[in-house]
Amino acid sequence: MASQAINSKTADKTLLVLSPDFPNENNNQYSGASFVKNQLEPIKKYFKEIIVIAPKLFTGGVLNIDKLCQDYSYDNVTVYYPYSIFYPRSLPPKSLNRHKVVLDFRAHTVERLIKKENIDFDIIHAHFTWPSAYIAARLKENYETPMVVTVHEDSGWLSEELEDCHPRIRFAWESADALIRVNKKDVPKLRAYNEHTYAIPNGHSPNFQPKDKLQCRKELNLPLDKKTIFGIGSLIERKGFNFLIDAMKMVNEYNKDVMCYICGAGPLKNTLQKQIQNLQLTNCVKLVGYVPEDLLPMWMNASDLFVLPSLNEGNPIVMFECLGCGKPFVGTDVGGVREIVTSEDYGLLVRPGNVQDLAEKLLTALDRDWDNKKIVAYARQYSWENIAGRVVRIYNELL
């Protein structure tokens, strides 16, 4: 695929992208990191070639990841999944997090792959601090190549990194030619390590645009006559779905014609299902399970509003996606959410962990006549196309 970029220093260059996760060819594995692939979609036209390296955990064939994540290419992008040995941060116990930074061989894996495949690159973009930014910093030293880091971490994870300040984390931040934080709020914290820190928010793909609500409900076999609340995320403590379920008990007492669908998978599934049963909400709160990415726009458009009750976030992708579909956002005032939901024309903000506040805001949002066209118009500035343009300007400055 020939570069379509005009007057860009990147047109004849190769971009190396490092990410701990990256969707496979069928987008059915690592879908949680689909935003990295979605951001690359408009960026790829600015480059001659893009190389993505996302080391996968060596499991000896125990997990399906070995079969699902195979190297592949599309357009001018090549994706590698080299095997590596590391202790995933997501696995317990949390007290081992500092040591997990040491028990991680992904840097060696990436360096070995680059030499084996004789990969040449002109600039590096690392997504997440660990391990990608650390790997990028090592590559910068060896290849004298500029590096950009996007710090995607949720606010809780970033706080851990700032508090712990492991030497490898500090090395990664200080080595970057540009640090990108997904919200403005945390920029001063990172500028203490690197003065070249910028705020660039996340975005949404063109798939997230308005569709006919009733038609989407018919295709998903959802009730046509009920107010519908939609939420999605991993079923983990940080996402706060237990507070949403408690809030739905209060909502249900005022309005029996409201359905709440929670999409996602995770370790708290059974706990949340038991909570729903104990509160006698099985008729109005449903755990849908994992939803393929290609169905998410339909779920967004089938709803009346989107809810995200997280205890902490960086700048949640789903917020931009719901706004792109013209749906109001009801969510906790965490991370960079307030920087995007700047007006009650676009949504309502909730105090984290406050069930009463969440229930009241949901009832208010359900009763309001929202200007969906205004929400869509506002969300256009957060298309990945526009966000990518801001990232490419940083590439050009470094080149």
Side-chain angles (χ1 to χ4, degrees), residues 296-335:
L296 287 184
M298 191 177 299
W299 275 97
M300 289 283 189
N301 280 288
S303 68
D304 291 290
L305 60 90
F306 180 83
V307 61
L308 189 68
S310 303
L311 296 178
N312 55 68
E313 291 283 352
N315 222 347
I317 302 290
V318 289
M319 172 177 61
F320 299 95
E321 293 172 342
C322 91
L323 296 175
C325 293
K327 302 300 178 178
F329 175 87
V330 177
T332 44
D333 185 6
V334 293

Side-chain angles (χ1 to χ4, degrees), residues 322-323 326-328 345-346 370-379:
C322 91
L323 296 175
K327 302 300 178 178
D345 289 336
Y346 315 127
W370 295 90
D371 187 341
N372 303 105
K373 291 182 179 180
K374 184 174 183 178
I375 296 174
V376 171
Y378 173 73

Side-chain angles (χ1 to χ4, degrees), residues 335-350:
V337 170
R338 178 176 290 274
E339 298 168 13
I340 307 303
V341 185
T342 56
S343 164
E344 291 193 354
D345 289 336
Y346 315 127
L348 303 175
L349 300 184
V350 179

Side-chain angles (χ1 to χ4, degrees), residues 151-367:
V151 183
H152 293 285
E153 290 91 302
D154 64 71
S155 52
W157 183 359
L158 179 61
S159 294
E160 288 176 20
E161 292 176 331
L162 289 166
E163 182 178 353
D164 186 36
C165 198
H166 191 284
R168 293 185 178 182
I169 299 293
R170 177 187 285 269
F171 169 61
W173 287 341
E174 292 178 346
S175 298
D177 295 281
L179 279 182
I180 297 173
R181 179 55 177 156
V182 293
N183 62 50
K184 298 175 183 176
K185 179 180 179 181
D186 296 323
V187 166
K189 302 173 186 176
L190 290 168
R191 278 194 175 148
Y193 300 89
N194 192 318
E195 63 179 0
H196 303 291
T197 301
Y198 312 92
I200 299 180
N202 288 317
H204 63 86
S205 77
N207 296 329
F208 291 90
Q209 55 183 300
K211 300 179 186 295
D212 183 81
K213 180 168 67 176
L214 292 181
Q215 183 60 37
C216 289
R217 290 188 182 184
K218 288 177 182 178
E219 293 189 37
L220 293 171
N221 198 28
L222 303 181
L224 303 181
D225 58 344
K226 291 182 178 290
K227 289 285 188 176
T228 301
I229 298 170
F230 174 60
I232 185 170
S234 299
L235 303 185
I236 56 177
E237 183 179 355
R238 178 175 69 84
K239 290 298 184 179
F241 287 120
N242 56 313
F243 300 109
L244 173 58
I245 294 170
D246 282 340
M248 281 303 300
K249 179 67 174 177
M250 302 173 67
V251 169
N252 186 248
E253 291 174 356
Y254 284 90
N255 190 339
K256 301 293 184 183
D257 292 323
V258 178
M259 292 295 301
C260 177
Y261 296 95
I262 301 172
C263 297
L268 294 183
K269 176 183 177 182
N270 293 336
T271 301
L272 295 175
Q273 187 60 55
K274 186 175 181 180
Q275 181 184 0
I276 291 169
Q277 293 169 346
N278 290 342
L279 293 175
Q280 299 181 331
L281 295 174
T282 53
N283 289 329
C284 65
V285 180
K286 305 290 185 182
L287 298 183
V288 179
Y290 169 76
V291 173
E293 185 182 1
D294 60 341
L295 288 181
L296 287 184
M298 191 177 299
W299 275 97
M300 289 283 189
N301 280 288
S303 68
D304 291 290
L305 60 90
F306 180 83
V307 61
L308 189 68
S310 303
L311 296 178
N312 55 68
E313 291 283 352
N315 222 347
I317 302 290
V318 289
M319 172 177 61
F320 299 95
E321 293 172 342
C322 91
L323 296 175
C325 293
K327 302 300 178 178
F329 175 87
V330 177
T332 44
D333 185 6
V334 293
V337 170
R338 178 176 290 274
E339 298 168 13
I340 307 303
V341 185
T342 56
S343 164
E344 291 193 354
D345 289 336
Y346 315 127
L348 303 175
L349 300 184
V350 179
R351 295 188 295 277
N354 191 311
V355 174
Q356 178 76 30
D357 192 25
L358 178 56
E360 291 176 357
K361 295 292 173 56
L362 287 173
L363 287 167
T364 298
L366 289 168
D367 287 339

Side-chain angles (χ1 to χ4, degrees), residues 27-42:
N27 293 321
N28 59 7
Q29 184 72 13
Y30 290 146
S31 59
S34 61
F35 61 88
V36 179
K37 190 173 185 177
N38 289 337
Q39 187 186 84
L40 279 186
E41 193 60 27

